[in-house]
Amino acid sequence: MGLIERFLGALFGGGRNAVVETVEVFRENAEQGAVRAVRLRDGALAQMEAEFARPEKGGFDRFMDGVNRLPRPLLALGTLGLFVSAMVDPLWFAARMQGLALVPEAMWWLLGVVVSFYFGARHQMKAQEFRRDIAAGLSLAPDVGADVASLERMRAGTSTAVGGTVDANPALAAWKDAHAQRGGRDK
């Protein structure tokens, strides 16, 4: 019995499964691959969650955001209401329109300025908020300048991808020496 156990231990790695380890050299362990896939997916979801998270606002800010959402729907619904009231009671509508005809032209200009400034300021505020969010997201992006400089150094032959010099690579140094001895021509 001991001889068989020793033989099987030598064949299969005595306490560890050498056959499984050997097979994993040629074929991925499906269970470990699934674990890596779950980690990758969870990392991607966490990154997306961080990118699209909304900053917490106070109660007053949320209330004002709600108030700021009212003018456009009220203007649209009010205009539709004018058309409905003109059809339902034309005399009532005509009396109201006669009252509007009495408003001086300067008041109409003032109303136009107020409405223009309101919507213009809101548009500017939203555009600045958008740019601020974009700028905050850019700080999460990799340093493109350093990457481009590294690529330029690699192109010039002064560094490798890991940051060392080209001469630190013995195989490349031997190739350069052999190339120089042949007079710069390859066979």
Side-chain angles (χ1 to χ4, degrees):
M1 189 76 156
L3 180 64
I4 294 174
E5 288 177 5
R6 277 188 279 161
F7 174 72
L8 290 176
L11 181 63
F12 292 114
R16 61 180 178 44
N17 199 341
V19 173
V20 171
E21 289 177 4
T22 304
V23 169
E24 285 179 353
V25 170
F26 301 104
R27 186 177 185 284
E28 178 189 25
N29 182 334
E31 184 176 345
Q32 292 301 318
V35 168
R36 285 190 296 273
V38 166
R39 286 184 186 150
L40 178 67
R41 187 187 69 222
D42 289 346
L45 288 174
Q47 179 184 357
M48 263 204 277
E49 181 182 350
E51 284 182 30
F52 294 106
R54 291 185 177 196
E56 286 295 321
K57 293 184 176 181
F60 180 75
D61 288 334
R62 287 194 310 264
F63 172 74
M64 288 311 295
D65 284 344
V67 169
N68 282 331
R69 289 188 178 109
L70 290 177
R72 284 179 287 175
L74 289 178
L75 285 171
L77 294 174
T79 304
L80 292 175
L82 287 174
F83 281 103
V84 170
S85 66
M87 289 185 280
V88 171
D89 190 359
L91 295 178
W92 178 89
F93 180 77
R96 294 329 172 260
M97 292 301 112
Q98 287 299 320
L100 284 177
L102 297 176
V103 174
E105 187 176 351
M107 291 289 285
W108 287 113
W109 280 103
L110 181 61
L111 178 66
V113 166
V114 168
V115 169
S116 297
F117 275 121
Y118 171 78
F119 286 112
R122 181 152 171 84
H123 174 74
Q124 183 178 4
M125 179 188 72
K126 291 295 184 180
Q128 287 174 345
E129 201 172 273
F130 177 71
R131 283 190 214 107
R132 190 177 322 115
D133 291 345
I134 292 292
L138 288 179
S139 66
L140 300 175
D143 186 10
V144 176
D147 291 344
V148 170
S150 174
L151 289 171
E152 291 299 325
R153 285 192 309 271
M154 288 171 58
R155 180 177 292 146
T158 58
S159 75
T160 62
V162 235
T165 62
V166 173
D167 297 331
N169 186 340
L172 189 56
W175 176 83
K176 280 184 170 183
D177 290 341
H179 186 70
Q181 289 174 357
R182 285 192 304 258
R185 59 184 189 278
D186 289 325
K187 292 185 180 180

